[in-house]
Amino acid sequence: MEETSTLQIHPSTIIETDDIGENTTIGPFSHIEKNVHIGRNCFIGEGCHIQEGVHISDGTHLENGVYIWRGVYLSEDVFVGPQAVFINYRNPRAYSHPPRREEILQTKVGRGASIGANSTILCGHIIGAYAVVGAGSTLTHSVRAHEIVYGNPARHQGWACECGEALYDIRECVECGRSYEMIDTGLRLHE
Amino acid sequence: MEETSTLQIHPSTIIETDDIGENTTIGPFSHIEKNVHIGRNCFIGEGCHIQEGVHISDGTHLENGVYIWRGVYLSEDVFVGPQAVFINYRNPRAYSHPPRREEILQTKVGRGASIGANSTILCGHIIGAYAVVGAGSTLTHSVRAHEIVYGNPARHQGWACECGEALYDIRECVECGRSYEMIDTGLRLHE
Amino acid sequence: MEETSTLQIHPSTIIETDDIGENTTIGPFSHIEKNVHIGRNCFIGEGCHIQEGVHISDGTHLENGVYIWRGVYLSEDVFVGPQAVFINYRNPRAYSHPPRREEILQTKVGRGASIGANSTILCGHIIGAYAVVGAGSTLTHSVRAHEIVYGNPARHQGWACECGEALYDIRECVECGRSYEMIDTGLRLHE
């Protein structure tokens, strides 16, 4: 690993931006296009590809083989498992590629959410803060804050604590003791 | 990107054929084996692998992380989404690999068809012209021309226009106005 | 391909171990970390990643885009299809990565088993000898010896012979003639 202050980037990786924060690591065989912003304390694995113009927030963790296209917004501290796949427009045809800018449908992933390994995330939806999309799922709709979904298509399966544990009772996490209340958009932490 | 007339190939990519058409782009970290034909106006993304002897037709679009094995035939203008996976023989065992030539089951993908991101295409089937396999699907049977299938296993979900839009009425596409009639093998365009 | 006695490793591949057996092939754009053992007669495809400390048994076959994490044990002659994805801990969060050692849940894959292309293998389970996980599956539980499972979630679908063929009658494989009896943990070969 080549070391530039606290930034570690493998020499096989193609970096076309210089807007990368401190204490970020990028694995081999990855490609970061120009006009990409990558925040501090990020981890980007092997064989990843970040498309031109994308903003990667602080503390984001992308496992191996993750591609982030224009129109995908990852908030702070998002975890994306290995080979999870995002999409950024519907009805692809070889002869209408690349999509026109107005055809791109945005995917917004809230702070602290986790996207499971090898899941497929259709575009145009919101994944709430601290939500969990289970491994191997195909996500076809929006997900509320702290909601757990999985399956193909992914369906509601329960609620997750900020610590990652499933909540048997939203009033107290058995693992960390955090307490939640139900609101329209999912769960909200009791401060 | 290194530029050879209108052919653009990233220098990290391993190219063992010289039979690549004009105006074709191949991304980094890909591997094109010998005796491969790649047509004109193709796009081959990052981390792709085209196995020896494969024929890639004009206008084919392969997104990142797509592997095309012997026995997979892609017609003109096929779109293959990121990390969609083809297979070319059944019942793999480590101790019977590589497969004998007669064990390879062919997959034929018709003109203009779209294979969704992260889908899994079992072998021995035909995907009709302009068919759509939805993202995250596992395809276990053949698909008719213009048919939309998705799910695990993928099932019939509707019909797609050549323009990509789902058809609410096969007599007129709300997006482009094309008209179709139903035949045994799917839809046929009214000229 | 660079040739070192009977070991073939592509020069783009990053090799940090020297504990690799004879007659093993490793494709381009792969990464083998330090303290990894790779046995004899193995095949490791393109874009693979073997994490520090992992033991790969003799005769293992990993297709393109397979990542083997700490906690995943592959016995002899295991086949892993392209872009099949393993996991090694539950409830990932970006801010609790890497997992603590005690959080890693082991996955053990028995001798001769086959893991289908693009399947997702959740952690903490045992895949029995000669078992088959079908392509595109999401595996959420343990699998018995010679058992065939597939789907999302993967469910029991039948029994597989050592030769790979599905068994219509466990008393005699129509392909190779092997005979089995049912025991608690799956099928056992009649010697």
Side-chain angles (χ1 to χ4, degrees), chain B residues 147-169:
Chain B
E147 193 177 8
I148 300 174
V149 299
Y150 54 79
N152 182 356
R155 298 192 195 283
H156 176 81
Q157 309 283 349
W159 300 99
C161 184
E162 190 175 317
C163 74
E165 201 67 25
L167 290 162
Y168 300 100
D169 180 341

Side-chain angles (χ1 to χ4, degrees), chain C residues 75-120:
Chain C
S75 304
E76 289 83 359
D77 295 328
V78 165
F79 177 93
V80 184
Q83 290 177 340
V85 177
F86 290 94
I87 291 168
N88 67 350
Y89 69 113
R90 294 182 198 263
N91 306 329
R93 292 298 197 193
Y95 37 85
S96 59
H97 187 90
R100 292 191 300 274
R101 185 169 296 268
E102 68 272 19
E103 289 177 338
I104 290 182
L105 291 179
Q106 297 184 354
T107 298
K108 298 190 178 179
V109 185
R111 171 192 291 264
S114 297
I115 310 288
N118 210 15
S119 55
T120 308

